[in-house]
Amino acid sequence: MSNSEIVEVLELTAKLLELHNADPFKIKGYSVAAFYLDKYKEGELQFMTEQELTKLQGVGKSTATKIAQIAKTGTFPELEELIANTPLGVMEMFNIKGIGPKKIAVLWQELGIDNLHELELACLNGTVAKVKGFGANTQQKILDSLAFLKDQAGKLRMDKAEAAANSIINELKKTFEQVEAAGEIRRKSEVVETIRILVGTDSPALLQNTIGSIGLLVQDEKKSSPFVWRGNIQDVAVAIEIVAVKPERLVNELFLETAGEDHLGLAGTSGNTIWRHAYYETADTEHAIYEKAGLPYIVPEMREGAGELAWAETRTPDQLVTWDDLRGILHNHSTYSDGQHTLEQMAVYCRELGFEYLGIADHSQTATYAQGLKVEDVERQHEEIARLNARFASENPAKPFKILKGIESDILGDGSLDYPADVLASFDYIVASVHSNLSMTLEKATARLLKAIENPYTTILGHPTGRLLLSREGYPIDHQVIIDACAANGVVIEINASPWRLDLDWRWIAYCMEKGVMLSINPDAHAMEGYLDMHYGVANARKGGLTKDMTFNALNLGQIEEYLRGRAARIG
Ligand SMILES: [Zn+2]
Ligand SMILES: [Zn+2]
């Protein structure tokens, strides 16, 4: 380990100790050592004995012992313990400019924020500025820093990757006619490691020159060849490949560069793999490749080798859900809790987009960090909904737009919902979600969710694992047991469409459909424009093979009201 790496470990230790409010003396020991060793250039710390180390400025006896351990193993037990007691998302806050461990501790302990996504929401809705010692300036600094951090790391969420790919594609289209996204982007993967773009051209040299003239693209010359440009966008670590393909081979290469390996290995009735057909026989369309292999056509997003052939035995691609199939938007927040727009703004914009209903689902009372609704807030909101619905009915009596009274009820630690039964009964529908005490064993998390699913007031299970892509792993659950319970209790499962979540994971959609569990594509919008996240939800749903007839919010207003009346009648 180099000196600077050792210094980094000492600095991290000091920060974690401060975050956990440790003895200031102890914190100082590490930070002073890091300060002086950062300037020390005379020797290599990793080869020094403890005795030699203690002679250096700023290094005490116990720090010397730790340095020797770090040099050998990269860490030491006390640091490991600190890391184990700190959520990954809180550690990520160390990368934010303008707030130190003390402020991070306040965000974590007082506001319950343990990841960058919730921190961003809390800044956007002004919660952070109100905390003592923060203010509007600090809040803005955090937002700026978060925007910067999001563009980092080696992987990108699908929303960011798509935006980056489109900016390159638009530039290339000024010169070339045939420019196509392939790979994970075309397969609609929730997380992208490589942005792959194919360009149909007889002149690879022209392509290289064109790429060279696009600003912000940084080439990795060692990995590039005359036919394949490899590199990245400045300050964005995700890998980019731009491939020159002969125009007559474009369909074949697009197929080969899109499908996952397991899909390429699928054997057709021809006796050969689909890879062989695509590689050796020039085709005009991707449909023709499947035909030659004797296989049903599979849409690009499903080409994973994850059961798509079994799916296609009884279904056709035109049954897959599309944005146009969606009739309403469930699970949305307003200024009643932590949203940015009023209930009226949310409803009017929903109607403008052509939907028949808005399901509002603000946070429930226990979610104090998100201004969860007290019982009197619920009553106030229900009165406003009645007023707005009356107005909508008068504006279009033939086909009135309607707000459905929902709530996103916290699933409490013991699995119960967040209001007494009479309040729960006053909602049209309930999304039940876990937001607190996220570190659980698989057994505990599964039991907690099961109790919520068995609660007769639960309509939809919200973001089942609580994951935040590239930021928080989510608690472990037994998916099969959870889905079986939803089937037994008639509970719908959410596909949370926020590109941060995409939870339920698409890999479990087929099992839900097999068990007759409907899925709801919910944007979890905290502002009007959040509705558009349903594009990611639809893409992810299609990747998992979700059909229109199994999509809950593809039900029209009449159908969904009938469904909800049926649920309510069951409770009696
Ligand atoms: Zn939630
Ligand atoms: Zn929500």
Side-chain angles (χ1 to χ4, degrees):
M1 276 192 110
S2 69
N3 288 6
S4 62
E5 284 169 325
I6 292 172
V7 168
E8 265 182 44
V9 175
L10 295 173
E11 281 170 347
L12 175 64
T13 309
K15 280 189 209 165
L16 283 166
L17 285 169
E18 202 177 344
L19 178 78
H20 288 275
N21 205 13
D23 180 357
F25 231 84
K26 214 167 167 186
I27 301 168
K28 215 170 159 201
Y30 288 101
S31 55
V32 167
F35 176 83
Y36 283 109
L37 293 178
D38 198 28
K39 299 184 168 49
Y40 176 74
K41 307 278 178 241
E42 282 74 32
E44 290 234 55
L45 299 173
Q46 58 173 338
F47 298 126
M48 296 168 77
T49 65
E50 281 183 44
Q51 238 180 355
E52 287 167 329
L53 286 166
T54 43
K55 289 188 186 128
L56 300 177
Q57 191 171 11
V59 180
K61 201 167 171 301
S62 87
T63 318
T65 312
K66 304 286 161 51
I67 294 172
Q69 281 178 310
I70 295 167
K72 248 189 238 149
T73 65
T75 182
F76 58 97
E78 196 185 355
L79 173 61
E80 283 310 296
E81 201 188 319
L82 285 165
I83 290 173
N85 289 325
T86 314
L88 185 62
V90 173
M91 303 252 293
E92 285 177 329
M93 291 184 205
F94 287 152
N95 298 320
I96 298 171
K97 293 208 176 77
I99 51 170
K102 284 221 164 61
K103 281 205 164 66
I104 295 171
V106 172
L107 293 170
W108 179 28
Q109 302 300 347
E110 288 183 23
L111 298 182
I113 294 170
D114 70 352
N115 63 77
L116 299 184
H117 180 49
E118 274 165 19
L119 178 59
E120 184 184 34
L121 289 177
C123 287
L124 286 173
N125 68 35
T127 306
V128 170
K130 285 181 213 143
V131 179
K132 197 173 165 232
F134 282 70
N137 272 344
T138 306
Q139 180 170 277
Q140 189 53 46
K141 258 192 228 152
I142 295 174
L143 278 173
D144 293 345
S145 185
L146 280 172
F148 178 75
L149 284 176
K150 272 201 224 168
D151 286 329
Q152 304 292 301
K155 295 175 188 172
L156 289 183
R157 298 187 322 259
M158 73 185 296
D159 55 326
K160 294 280 168 189
E162 251 179 31
N166 285 338
S167 70
I168 299 170
I169 288 171
N170 289 339
E171 285 299 316
L172 291 171
K173 278 197 168 159
K174 290 177 187 166
T175 309
F176 301 95
E177 240 168 74
Q178 299 176 311
V179 185
E180 304 277 354
E184 294 155 303
I185 299 266
R186 190 157 176 250
R187 290 208 309 276
K188 307 287 182 191
S189 300
E190 64 273 33
V191 166
V192 172
E193 279 179 68
T194 305
I195 292 174
R196 190 169 292 153
I197 294 167
L198 303 193
V199 179
T201 176
D202 285 314
S203 173
L206 175 64
L207 177 58
Q208 296 287 350
N209 285 340
T210 309
I211 298 169
S213 69
I214 301 177
L216 299 179
L217 284 182
V218 185
Q219 184 170 21
D220 183 335
E221 289 184 18
K222 272 191 208 143
K223 289 184 183 161
S224 297
S225 75
F227 302 98
V228 185
W229 184 98
R230 290 192 175 90
N232 64 290
I233 304 179
Q234 210 169 49
D235 298 332
V236 181
V238 74
I240 297 171
E241 282 181 21
I242 306 173
V243 187
V245 177
K246 282 196 184 341
E248 64 271 24
R249 281 288 296 175
L250 188 66
V251 168
N252 291 70
E253 294 302 322
L254 186 58
F255 176 81
L256 292 164
E257 296 284 343
T258 296
E261 261 177 56
D262 292 341
H263 186 80
L264 292 173
L266 293 175
T269 50
S270 64
N272 286 323
T273 61
I274 192 154
W275 175 84
R276 245 189 120 75
H277 288 283
Y279 192 79
Y280 288 108
E281 301 161 18
T282 299
D284 290 336
T285 64
E286 290 187 329
H287 281 86
I289 297 173
Y290 285 95
E291 250 165 58
K292 281 182 180 154
L295 290 173
Y297 175 76
I298 303 291
V299 295
E301 51 269 51
M302 289 179 78
R303 295 174 193 165
E304 293 283 356
E308 55 269 29
L309 286 188
W311 182 93
E313 274 172 26
T314 54
R315 303 176 190 93
T316 51
D318 59 350
Q319 290 172 270
L320 288 169
V321 67
T322 66
W323 172 282
D324 291 336
D325 292 329
L326 303 180
R327 291 285 167 265
I329 317 183
L330 302 164
H331 191 170
N332 303 287
H333 299 264
S334 72
T335 47
Y336 275 90
S337 67
D338 61 345
Q340 286 179 59
H341 291 119
T342 64
L343 176 61
E344 182 180 352
Q345 287 173 312
M346 294 298 284
V348 168
Y349 186 55
C350 181
R351 186 175 64 170
E352 263 171 39
L353 288 176
F355 292 99
E356 298 174 21
Y357 54 90
L358 167 71
I360 202 71
D362 275 306
H363 284 287
S364 61
Q365 57 187 358
T366 296
T368 47
Y369 61 89
Q371 295 90 49
L373 273 59
K374 301 259 168 287
V375 175
E376 50 282 16
D377 300 324
V378 172
E379 286 164 2
R380 198 162 49 87
Q381 188 177 60
H382 286 183
E383 281 161 24
E384 187 181 352
I385 290 173
R387 275 199 305 279
L388 285 169
N389 279 345
R391 191 185 105 198
F392 295 142
S394 71
E395 282 166 1
N396 185 358
K399 210 175 176 217
F401 177 85
K402 194 165 177 185
I403 303 172
L404 299 176
K405 293 177 289 184
I407 195 84
E408 182 177 18
S409 170
D410 264 39
I411 297 174
L412 304 181
D414 66 355
S416 52
L417 298 184
D418 203 8
Y419 296 106
D422 60 321
V423 179
L424 293 174
S426 71
F427 296 105
D428 294 322
Y429 77 103
I430 289 173
V431 181
S433 313
V434 169
H435 293 118
S436 56
N437 304 323
L438 300 179
S439 22
M440 295 179 277
T441 61
L442 182 132
E443 291 71 25
K444 187 158 180 251
T446 305
R448 187 172 169 192
L449 290 193
L450 280 180
K451 189 163 171 217
I453 291 163
E454 285 161 7
N455 189 312
Y457 289 107
T458 299
T459 319
I460 301 175
L461 176 65
H463 45 72
T465 73
R467 77 177 182 188
L468 293 175
L469 294 166
L470 302 181
S471 176
R472 181 171 80 196
E473 209 162 354
Y475 41 85
I477 59 167
D478 187 328
H479 278 85
Q480 201 161 325
V481 169
I482 294 298
I483 293 166
D484 288 347
C486 287
N489 292 278
V491 168
V492 174
I493 298 181
E494 165 174 281
I495 296 175
N496 192 295
S498 161
W500 283 86
R501 296 187 182 271
L502 295 169
D503 179 16
L504 182 75
D505 190 293
W506 62 269
R507 292 161 188 84
W508 286 98
I509 292 174
Y511 186 69
C512 287
M513 291 182 17
E514 187 189 319
K515 292 287 157 178
V517 173
M518 288 189 98
L519 292 141
S520 191
I521 301 173
N522 297 347
D524 201 353
H526 284 71
M528 295 189 290
E529 56 272 21
Y531 294 151
L532 302 182
D533 280 354
M534 286 199 300
H535 283 293
Y536 304 114
V538 167
N540 217 247
R542 289 170 60 89
K543 187 169 181 58
L546 182 63
T547 53
K548 177 192 171 184
D549 65 325
M550 289 304 285
T551 306
F552 189 55
N553 56 323
L555 296 178
N556 65 33
L557 178 60
Q559 290 168 325
I560 210 157
E561 286 194 299
E562 192 187 314
Y563 177 95
L564 295 174
R565 270 196 301 274
R567 291 279 300 167
R570 251 188 27 173
I571 304 167

